[in-house]
Amino acid sequence: MSDVSTSDGVEPDHEHHHDHEGPGYSTPQAAIEEGGREKLAYVMSLYVGTDVDAPDFVAVVDLDPDSDTYCEIVDRVELPNRGDELHHFGWNACSSSCHVEGLERRHLIVPGQRSSRLHVIDTKDRRNPELVEVIEPEEVFEYDLSAPHTVHCVPDGKIIISMLGDADGDLPGGFLELNDDFEIEGRWEPPGEIEMNYDYWYQPRQNVMVSSEWAAPKTYYPGFDLDDVEAGNYGQKLHFWDWEDGTVEQTIDLGEEGLIPLEVRFLHTPESTHGFVGAALSSNIFHFWEDDGEYRAEKVIDFESREHDDWDMPVPALPTDILISMDDRYLFGSNWLHGDVWMYDISDPSNPRKADSLSVGGTFGEVQEVQGRELAAGPQMIQLSLDGERLYWTTSLFSSWDDQFYPEEAERGSVMLKADVDPRNGTMTLDEDFLVDWGECPAGPARAHEIRWPDGDCTSDVWQ
Amino acid sequence: MTPARYDVTLDRVGGPTRTIEVDEDETVLEASRRSGVSLPYGCRTGACGTCVGRLLAIEGAESGDDTTDADGTPIDVAEAFAYRREPRALKPRHRDDGYVLLCIASPRANSRVAVGSRVQSELVDNPWK
């Protein structure tokens, strides 16, 4: 099972060098040059929260414009159980192990957010991946953890998963570590370092990891309730960890302007201590950076709520996903409730400058259908080509939250859309020839969430 | 001793109604899977609410409208079901309104329950609309 084919004598070299013997690319620029155009996407696809009696699946989407099956779901890896809620997922190895000879980027770790079940999918055949391992929820609960979210591999073939709750779906959450045979090794951190958890990213050369906060699973699982916001049941903090020790060194409370900090990204260059986090409920983007041994965070983008005749209250933008282009020049994001995707120039990370945006889907989108297909929701999970020229997105946030804000998505299913990006001029154009429709799935309309390329992307690769 | 067995009628909102037999020591979800009746579910620990049903009637209790008995008092879930563990996904208002988590609920009476994804979406509204 191990992806380290030459296990003897493979000692990860923590001194950085440019010998590239393992998976991924030696630098972010090498990823841009050597990665090639994405021809397939793996997309989390789900039936949880609908009456379709079928398990969630991993969709393989054809992105090759020269292919006869362009824009089609060409394979579906069905999971053995229902009720998982596939959400986020990650690789067994990425560029952080580029110096580890014999390790391959080959296995996807696919957690069930609701079920706490962990799946391992072998993508040796990129077009026809295969489920090879299942870790049942009871094994996860033994470590008093549940609700797996972000998967990152770390050098050595280890895998660390952020876990949002304890075995009861309550707080505290923590981190679960798997070994390179995809067995649970134990908790990564000493318990009690944090209460709430969500996304995380690490920057090993700076010996730092940053984690964000959603809420206890029992709070966000059933749906979004304003009473929980008033009761302080949603997160507003960033935690900065000592990466080697697995301990929290500093916590920054973002305050009311930083409610529900979700996706958190460091710049790709391993030298940088700069990063960004989207505070979804407050509709703000924060920049964070290290200054004289301490991390600081400052609000740098503020999306205004907008009036809508059908709403009693101004509609918040809800920026639920962000990513940084591989060349660290642009921050991209999605405003799920408003119906926007946007790109900001972050060449000066303290002063993001709006480059362009597209108004598509959602509550206010100027484009409400593509190829005659009515869009049921706003842009949500985004993924960018390694060369920064194609931005793709899906439209589902989380089954129970979809049902509150875009109930029609359960009946119509999600779509995947694409914009062509001109990074030189900082512009985006909607590609109306591109549409992948989850409404046409054989068992019934499905939702679509996180997107990955088979050979590395802008939200999973880290450099040592 | 043979465990007591109860009839639980699953009234799918927008779909068919099926009655299944549920032992007192199994959950409604377990019995539904055993009987080949599909119910939505997620965590199976009472944390997520995907499997939620709304209790409509308890056999023997004089029922008024859907969620109250003849006196207008809300139907009491505890008369129809015992929980294996804490139903954390339900707030007090949900418990008072007769919502029941079928993944951790075992029967104590014959009953009728509204089920399906539409019941789950009743738990929370769009707070701004």
Side-chain angles (χ1 to χ4, degrees):
Chain A
M1 178 56 62
S2 169
D3 287 331
V4 184
S5 56
T6 53
S7 55
D8 289 341
V10 176
E11 283 297 320
D13 180 0
H14 292 285
E15 290 295 310
H16 184 81
H17 55 76
H18 287 274
D19 294 345
H20 178 201
E21 296 153 334
Y25 312 93
S26 57
T27 66
Q29 177 61 25
I32 295 168
E33 293 172 14
E34 297 162 12
R37 182 176 173 135
E38 63 291 345
K39 295 203 170 151
L40 291 174
Y42 299 132
V43 184
M44 298 288 90
S45 307
L46 52 145
Y47 284 117
V48 175
T50 69
D51 291 319
V52 176
D53 185 19
D56 296 353
F57 61 95
V58 178
V60 182
V61 178
D62 187 340
L63 299 181
D64 180 358
D66 296 329
S67 162
D68 291 343
T69 49
Y70 182 50
C71 292
E72 289 179 22
I73 297 170
V74 291
D75 192 37
R76 288 177 295 116
V77 185
E78 286 209 342
L79 298 183
N81 295 275
R82 290 173 51 219
D84 285 311
E85 182 125 22
L86 300 191
H87 195 64
H88 287 227
F89 62 129
W91 288 104
N92 68 301
C94 77
S95 297
S96 67
S97 301
C98 69
H99 52 282
V100 183
E101 189 182 346
L103 194 64
E104 286 180 81
R105 188 201 309 264
R106 172 167 160 180
H107 287 98
L108 282 171
I109 316 304
V110 179
Q113 225 291 317
R114 274 179 205 265
S115 65
S116 302
R117 188 177 287 108
L118 305 171
H119 309 88
V120 182
I121 289 177
D122 184 350
T123 68
K124 182 168 192 238
D125 179 348
R126 294 309 208 202
R127 218 179 153 91
N128 295 291
E130 191 186 349
L131 178 71
V132 290
E133 193 93 25
V134 179
I135 300 176
E136 292 296 339
E138 290 70 23
E139 296 175 61
V140 173
F141 298 151
E142 277 180 32
Y143 298 87
D144 202 17
L145 292 170
S146 69
H149 191 272
T150 302
V151 178
H152 280 296
C153 53
V154 302
D156 254 336
K158 284 187 213 164
I159 294 144
I160 297 174
I161 306 171
S162 64
M163 308 291 293
L164 275 54
D166 68 9
D168 291 321
D170 217 321
L171 296 176
F175 292 86
L176 190 71
E177 181 179 322
L178 308 185
N179 63 25
D180 62 5
D181 282 322
F182 311 119
E183 297 158 340
I184 297 179
E185 195 70 23
R187 286 184 80 123
W188 172 72
E189 89 294 13
E193 288 294 300
I194 50 168
E195 284 287 309
M196 292 184 203
N197 201 3
Y198 180 69
D199 192 28
Y200 82 99
W201 194 287
Y202 69 104
Q203 189 68 310
R205 199 175 303 182
Q206 304 293 346
N207 190 32
V208 66
M209 178 180 106
V210 57
S211 67
S212 59
E213 295 190 334
W214 191 3
K218 69 168 187 182
T219 302
Y220 68 79
Y221 272 156
F224 175 69
D225 187 338
L226 271 182
D227 289 349
D228 285 317
V229 179
E230 281 154 26
N233 293 338
Y234 277 100
Q236 57 183 55
K237 292 177 188 156
L238 286 184
H239 304 282
F240 292 89
W241 299 67
D242 182 310
W243 174 240
E244 291 286 335
D245 291 350
T247 51
V248 173
E249 296 294 298
Q250 189 189 343
T251 292
I252 297 181
D253 188 333
L254 301 172
E256 280 189 7
E257 296 205 296
L259 279 168
I260 314 191
L262 293 180
E263 312 316 314
V264 60
R265 322 285 188 195
F266 270 113
L267 265 62
H268 297 285
T269 176
E271 288 293 312
S272 183
T273 64
H274 291 267
F276 294 88
V277 63
L281 185 60
S282 304
S283 295
N284 295 319
I285 308 298
F286 280 76
H287 166 226
F288 57 82
W289 73 100
E290 192 234 40
D291 179 20
D292 207 15
E294 291 256 303
Y295 273 85
R296 296 174 187 277
E298 185 178 70
K299 184 184 81 172
V300 286
I301 304 174
D302 184 342
F303 295 103
E304 295 285 330
S305 298
R306 292 176 64 178
E307 299 281 349
H308 191 285
D309 287 347
D310 297 343
W311 290 57
D312 303 329
M313 303 278 286
V315 185
L318 221 74
T320 43
D321 193 18
I322 59 168
L323 66 75
I324 296 171
S325 62
M326 195 53 86
D327 61 6
D328 289 336
R329 281 166 66 189
Y330 292 104
L331 180 73
F332 287 83
S334 57
N335 291 351
W336 186 60
L337 275 187
H338 280 187
D340 298 307
V341 285
W342 44 261
M343 60 189 285
Y344 276 68
D345 157 18
I346 52 164
S347 51
D348 174 1
S350 308
N351 295 292
R353 178 187 67 96
K354 185 175 175 183
D356 202 1
S357 65
L358 288 178
S359 174
V360 52
T363 312
F364 298 100
E366 287 162 17
V367 176
Q368 284 293 347
E369 57 173 58
V370 171
Q371 297 175 30
R373 162 58 147 108
E374 214 171 313
L375 308 175
Q380 213 286 109
M381 291 313 292
I382 56 176
Q383 189 54 269
L384 185 68
S385 61
L386 291 171
D387 64 8
E389 295 185 4
R390 289 166 302 282
L391 181 75
Y392 301 79
W393 64 88
T394 54
T395 52
S396 164
L397 175 62
F398 193 62
S399 62
S400 44
W401 293 41
D402 289 353
D403 282 340
Q404 280 178 274
F405 297 102
Y406 294 115
E408 57 275 29
E409 187 155 34
E411 287 146 32
R412 294 210 185 107
S414 297
V415 295
M416 181 173 173
L417 299 176
K418 162 178 172 269
D420 292 312
V421 181
D422 179 346
R424 177 60 65 188
N425 292 303
T427 57
M428 284 192 285
T429 318
L430 183 67
D431 175 2
E432 300 217 27
D433 293 330
F434 185 94
L435 170 73
V436 187
D437 191 351
W438 269 257
E440 304 296 322
C441 292
R447 305 175 201 273
H449 196 69
E450 200 179 33
I451 307 167
R452 298 214 171 283
W453 316 140
D455 295 296
D457 52 53
C458 294
T459 58
S460 60
D461 272 61
V462 167
W463 278 269
Q464 179 86 332
Chain B
M1 204 171 83
T2 318
R5 181 170 270 205
Y6 298 96
D7 285 342
V8 178
T9 300
L10 303 171
D11 192 345
R12 183 178 295 273
V13 181
T17 296
R18 289 278 302 271
T19 299
I20 58 171
E21 292 186 329
V22 188
D23 288 348
E24 65 177 344
D25 58 358
E26 68 180 342
T27 66
V28 178
L29 178 65
E30 286 164 353
S32 74
R33 298 176 75 185
R34 180 170 52 70
S35 314
V37 177
S38 144
L39 285 180
Y41 64 92
C43 70
R44 297 184 301 138
T45 65
C48 87
T50 311
C51 66
V52 73
R54 184 164 33 80
L55 184 58
L56 299 174
I58 304 171
E59 189 175 283
E62 281 185 43
S63 60
D65 66 25
D66 270 355
T67 51
T68 56
D69 65 16
D71 305 326
T73 345
I75 209 160
D76 186 358
V77 171
E79 287 178 19
F81 295 102
Y83 278 126
R84 269 190 191 172
R85 48 200 289 173
E86 181 70 14
R88 288 179 169 78
L90 298 180
K91 295 201 158 73
R93 69 171 192 269
H94 300 133
R95 299 180 203 193
D96 292 347
D97 288 347
Y99 289 99
V100 53
L101 297 180
L102 302 174
C103 74
I104 53 168
S106 298
R108 293 295 176 266
N110 296 335
S111 65
R112 190 159 63 87
V113 184
V115 299
S117 67
R118 291 191 208 171
V119 181
Q120 197 279 331
S121 54
E122 291 169 9
L123 290 183
V124 277
D125 293 323
N126 180 335
W128 299 302
K129 198 166 177 178

